[in-house]
Amino acid sequence: MQRLLAVRGLGDHLDVPGAAAETGFWVVLAAGLTVRYVLRRERAGRVLLYSLPLIDLLLLTATAVDLAHGAEPSAGHGLAALYLGFTVAYGHTVIAWADARFAYRFAGGPPPPGPPKYGLARARHEARLWLLTLGAVAIALPVLEGLILVTADSGGADGGAEVLRGWQARALVALVVHGLIALSYAVFPKQAPKTADRAG
């Protein structure tokens, strides 16, 4: 899960709107869990948690408006599309991960289970995460293409479109790298350590 959470931190240093959306994501996530478990307001907590994609949707809308008004495309514009893809594809997994730990810490829930470590179970776990990455990229690519069209309609320079196409390429590279990592767990499954034979 740490690998997944790092994805959302890629653009914190790149632009103010992206950093604000990043901060908003974690603030709303923490608020939703606090309301749910500390204040015991189950329905209100769920509403806050389900509103998380709206943060990235607002960021994407602001990005499109910015480009439509002739702004030069930047890394921040590209990351807005990747943020949306990540939140839609991975949002449920991230919320469930945080929810289990919050319930254990504040509501007497059971210790949260970790991912499987060995064999076919770990390979399946990694394959499931890769499918989520595939979903995130499948969302981000057409969104980026839409932003490219917005840039063209606003009379932006061709170089701006190339910046956004660069983020399409980065998304595809990330998908391939993640796929190779997931495949390695199936081709070279990690084996559980053997216990020492008992003497006598």
Side-chain angles (χ1 to χ4, degrees):
M1 179 57 66
Q2 283 77 8
R3 286 206 310 265
L4 307 182
L5 299 183
V7 173
R8 289 205 59 96
L10 285 174
D12 287 0
H13 63 288
L14 292 176
D15 68 306
V16 173
E22 177 69 19
T23 302
F25 178 91
W26 295 112
V27 168
V28 173
L29 177 60
L33 294 173
T34 300
V35 169
R36 182 177 182 181
Y37 289 111
V38 178
L39 301 183
R40 310 293 184 181
R41 301 290 299 274
E42 176 80 15
R43 181 174 296 180
R46 286 185 178 275
V47 169
L48 284 171
L49 294 175
Y50 288 143
S51 70
L52 285 171
L54 294 178
I55 296 173
D56 290 328
L57 188 59
L58 288 173
L59 174 61
L60 182 64
T61 301
T63 295
V65 171
D66 194 34
L67 292 174
H69 284 81
E72 188 70 20
S74 66
H77 295 113
L79 279 167
L82 269 60
Y83 276 156
L84 181 64
F86 177 90
T87 300
V88 173
Y90 274 102
H92 182 270
T93 299
V94 172
I95 291 173
W97 177 86
D99 185 83
R101 282 151 182 78
F102 219 88
Y104 172 64
R105 176 66 178 82
F106 295 103
K117 294 181 178 180
Y118 307 110
L120 184 59
R122 180 57 185 263
R124 287 174 176 167
H125 172 76
E126 294 294 334
R128 187 182 76 85
L129 292 181
W130 181 80
L131 289 175
L132 294 179
T133 298
L134 176 62
V137 172
I139 294 168
L141 291 182
V143 170
L144 282 165
E145 193 65 32
L147 294 179
I148 290 170
L149 293 176
V150 170
T151 300
D153 289 342
S154 67
D158 292 339
E162 290 305 313
V163 170
L164 297 176
R165 293 202 185 281
W167 282 98
Q168 288 179 321
R170 289 180 179 89
L172 290 172
V173 169
L175 178 65
V176 171
V177 171
H178 192 177
L180 291 174
I181 293 172
L183 183 62
S184 71
Y185 283 93
V187 177
F188 307 104
K190 189 175 181 180
Q191 301 298 325
K194 295 181 180 179
T195 56
D197 294 331
R198 294 182 178 178

